[in-house]
Amino acid sequence: MIPKRAKGGNDTGGLLFYLYGPGKRDEHENPRMVAAWAPWVPDPARAPDMTVGELGLLLDAPVQALPGNPPAEHVYHVAVRAAPEDPLLTDEQWAEVARTMMDAAGVAPHGDSWGCRWVAIRHADDHIHIVATKARQDGIQPNLRQDIVRMQRLARQFEVRWGLRQLTSGDRTAKRWPTTGETRKASRRHLAESARDQLERAVRTAAAASAGEDEFFGRLRSSGVRVAQRGGPDGGTPVGFSVALPGDRDRGDRAVWFAGSSLAYDLSLPRVRERWQVPVPDPEVPPNTLWQTLEHNLTAASERFGAGGRRQGAGDVAALGDLLVTVAATAPPVAGSQLRSSATEFERAARAPGRRDLGGEAQLLLRSSVRILVSAARASGRNDAVAFLGFLLALTTAVRAAQLWHEEQGHHLQAEAAKRTGEPLREAVEVVTGASADAGAQPRARRTVSAATESGRAPMPADVVARTVPTHASTVLLDPAWPALHSRLTDLERQGIEPAPVLAAVAARRELRSSDSVAQVLIWRLDGWATAQGVPLRTRAASTASRVGATPPPPPRAIAGSSIKAKPAPGPETDGPSRSR
């Protein structure tokens, strides 16, 4: 259950008309009042002698009675939303939520007949809107300090009491999420993300890769971002900065600027400067040993993670976050999308509550790795896939070490973020595993018969799987990911490439026993092999077709020499990263 402050303003009646109306983006179904400041308040949706406009006048009466001019913004608006998987709450339960939260917020304390006037309106199954006017009936202004924090604490109690999804109260380390207006603006412009999200990523990338203030602002400007530095009282050393996207303007045709601290609390200029308190030299590493050096640094840092205490551990996770951001921007493109996802997922895990010390031994190893990557950006190519794979495995281990440290400190939100980071990293490992496999099967002219069987026809994908990975054949053919794998194998055959040696090569590159979905792992490895070999697999179309209900591949049939009946028992294969789907 999430209470969130929404836009208020000074038009009580206009907001009520919207809440009782059909809605603009979401359909409002059966709008009705579930609670109010007094039991006698009639509901315009049910009482024929009460209109929405008259309800607005009732709410505004204490505001109009204030001496002098009314406040510029007197409307208090909070939305309280349940999780999609939560059980459906009754109107009576939502009424209890509204009354209790207005008491906790200081709007209308229990037993205080002179509190602010408010109403709770429900027009959907999963949330309510609470509208109040910020003027007590005795003419005193309400004390709303820390209102959302107090309401969040109450929400945790309701979650336990009613069996709802249990969330964790904020620890002031979350990024600043886009407002509704910013999201709608991006939607109108057909942009994939809001200006705030674009700027947050640009500032974080520049901060992670920089070794000083001049380099930081230079990288920001080079990325195409507008930068404005805010000078101190003497006009000398900057005390802050703001960024804006070119062409992003408000209704008054003015540039929309965001301060670094408004993007995320660790992107204020003082927090960015913390990275440079301990200088880190730029090591000279030959390109042919780049990934091996980084793997060694990561392995050593993982062993020392959090060894210097709580503050140094906070610095360690911050440095690991910078490394993930830099890797996403400079690593070989074969696993670019997975690495970008991992950097995004780890963003919350890189910020631990409280102060941090960025001078620990693990942190210096990680910062040194960042400088190596920056100085040798994109120095490695396709031939470095094997060495890059070792680096990715070390990176997975480091993220796991960060997760364990957060769990030991009781940082549940950060530990969960680190856990989510492991998912795209393991996917990147499998993609690079496929890219490093030499199948000996290159594209060639289309043949009339490819790898023909005794009957003169090409083997079906099910035959290919059964003969190349017989130990896992039954699991693969019954896996939900089998249709997508079937499409890739068929596409290889269509392009004149024998799928059997390719599948055998990517399957033999690393063990498969520890994978939760062998079929999905084989898909990632085939995609990596195709990228490395320059083979244009139509994977997106195949995956989309399988999702929207296109004709599935034929069911697996009995194949001579194989038994496709039950999942094979675990064997003594070596351990490796698993992947849950």
Side-chain angles (χ1 to χ4, degrees):
M1 181 178 290
I2 301 176
K4 181 180 179 181
R5 179 85 64 83
K7 185 177 180 180
N10 57 7
D11 186 1
T12 309
L15 177 57
L16 291 175
F17 274 112
Y18 168 74
L19 296 176
Y20 274 102
K24 294 181 179 180
R25 294 175 62 87
D26 302 317
E27 294 295 333
H28 294 178
E29 298 181 359
N30 188 22
R32 59 199 182 276
M33 182 191 302
V34 295
W37 76 92
W40 54 264
V41 180
D43 180 7
R46 297 165 178 160
D49 56 345
M50 171 63 72
T51 66
V52 174
E54 290 172 338
L55 178 60
L57 293 176
L58 279 175
L59 285 168
D60 280 340
V63 178
Q64 300 302 324
L66 292 174
N69 295 327
E73 293 189 359
H74 64 269
V75 179
Y76 182 83
H77 181 195
V78 173
V80 186
R81 187 178 298 271
E85 66 270 21
D86 284 344
L88 186 65
L89 301 182
T90 65
D91 284 357
E92 291 73 20
Q93 288 174 309
W94 279 120
E96 182 179 354
V97 170
R99 284 191 293 267
T100 309
M101 289 198 170
M102 287 297 93
D103 169 61
V107 173
H110 286 321
D112 185 356
S113 59
W114 299 99
C116 300
R117 295 186 173 184
W118 61 271
V119 294
I121 299 169
R122 182 181 188 182
H123 55 210
D125 288 338
D126 62 348
H127 70 277
I128 59 171
H129 292 263
I130 306 175
V131 180
T133 48
K134 292 187 284 188
R136 288 172 51 87
Q137 298 177 76
D138 55 9
I140 301 175
Q141 290 293 311
N143 180 12
L144 304 178
R145 183 177 175 81
Q146 298 291 311
D147 54 341
I148 292 296
V149 174
R150 293 194 295 266
M151 285 190 281
Q152 286 177 342
R153 292 172 184 163
L154 276 176
R156 304 294 84 80
Q157 298 175 20
F158 283 120
E159 290 162 0
V160 174
R161 178 179 167 189
W162 292 333
L164 310 179
R165 178 184 178 185
Q166 296 187 30
L167 305 178
T168 304
S169 295
D171 55 10
R172 299 182 183 275
T173 62
K175 64 182 288 186
R176 309 294 195 259
W177 295 100
T179 64
T180 302
E182 293 166 359
T183 303
R184 292 179 180 177
K185 184 178 183 180
S187 178
R188 290 195 303 270
R189 296 184 174 186
H190 304 288
L191 300 176
E193 56 184 356
S194 68
R196 182 186 295 271
D197 286 331
Q198 296 180 57
L199 291 169
E200 189 268 341
R201 186 175 61 254
V203 174
R204 191 171 299 282
T205 302
S210 301
E213 196 161 313
D214 293 339
E215 183 181 355
F216 169 63
F217 287 118
R219 286 183 177 276
L220 271 180
R221 293 188 177 94
S222 298
S223 67
V225 172
R226 299 180 63 186
V227 181
Q229 300 182 39
R230 187 171 68 256
D234 57 354
T237 305
V239 297
F241 71 97
S242 298
V243 290
L245 286 180
D248 184 24
R249 297 185 174 274
D250 59 15
R251 293 181 179 178
D253 200 32
R254 295 168 301 214
V256 180
W257 293 90
F258 294 85
S261 58
S262 70
L263 300 174
Y265 100 103
D266 63 332
L267 293 183
S268 65
L269 188 55
R271 298 288 285 185
V272 171
R273 282 174 174 156
E274 290 179 355
R275 294 168 166 85
W276 313 317
Q277 291 177 355
V278 180
V280 178
D282 290 343
E284 294 185 3
V285 178
N288 61 332
T289 63
L290 171 68
W291 298 117
Q292 292 90 337
T293 303
L294 294 176
E295 179 185 353
H296 176 269
N297 285 357
L298 270 175
T299 302
S302 299
E303 296 172 351
R304 296 167 174 79
F305 224 93
R310 188 183 185 95
R311 289 177 57 176
Q312 281 195 7
D316 294 342
V317 295
L320 181 56
D322 285 350
L323 178 60
L324 280 164
V325 169
T326 308
V327 169
T330 60
V334 62
S337 62
Q338 291 84 4
L339 291 172
R340 286 189 293 273
S341 297
S342 67
T344 300
E345 293 289 0
F346 196 79
E347 181 260 342
R348 183 66 180 274
R351 292 192 295 272
R355 301 181 64 182
R356 63 187 185 183
D357 181 358
L358 297 181
E361 189 174 358
Q363 183 266 338
L364 293 177
L365 286 167
L366 296 170
R367 290 292 296 165
S368 177
S369 299
V370 170
R371 298 310 303 167
I372 293 173
L373 277 174
V374 171
S375 60
R378 299 193 181 277
S380 62
R382 184 178 300 166
N383 296 331
D384 297 313
V386 176
F388 184 47
L389 177 61
F391 165 75
L392 285 180
L393 291 171
L395 189 59
T396 305
T397 302
V399 169
R400 174 63 177 167
Q403 177 187 342
L404 294 176
W405 181 81
H406 279 305
E407 291 175 351
E408 292 173 356
Q409 305 301 318
H411 303 158
H412 303 296
L413 294 173
Q414 287 79 3
E416 183 62 29
K419 182 179 180 181
R420 291 195 304 269
T421 305
E423 300 294 318
L425 274 182
R426 285 189 286 272
E427 183 176 336
V429 166
E430 300 301 348
V431 170
V432 175
T433 297
S436 64
D438 182 11
Q442 299 295 329
R444 52 185 177 270
R446 181 177 177 84
R447 300 156 296 169
T448 55
V449 178
S450 174
T453 61
E454 295 179 358
S455 60
R457 60 168 181 79
M460 298 293 290
D463 299 278
V464 173
V465 171
R467 292 171 182 175
T468 54
V469 285
T471 305
H472 304 284
S474 60
T475 305
V476 170
L477 296 178
L478 298 176
D479 195 295
W482 164 240
L485 178 59
H486 179 282
S487 298
R488 283 161 173 78
L489 296 174
T490 302
D491 202 27
L492 286 174
E493 177 66 32
R494 186 182 297 111
Q495 297 185 62
I497 303 173
E498 294 184 11
V502 177
L503 186 63
V506 298
R509 200 71 184 93
R510 281 174 51 79
E511 58 85 29
L512 294 166
R513 180 75 67 186
S514 59
S515 302
D516 292 336
S517 173
V518 176
Q520 186 63 66
V521 167
L522 292 175
I523 289 170
W524 292 328
R525 293 187 186 180
L526 284 175
D527 290 346
W529 179 89
T531 301
Q533 300 293 334
V535 177
L537 286 181
R538 296 181 296 179
T539 55
R540 180 176 301 179
S543 300
T544 303
S546 66
R547 286 196 300 270
V548 299
T551 303
R557 53 183 176 78
I559 300 172
S562 67
S563 176
I564 306 177
K565 295 181 180 178
K567 185 174 180 179
E573 297 187 65
T574 57
D575 292 333
S578 62
R579 171 68 171 162
S580 299
R581 292 298 291 174

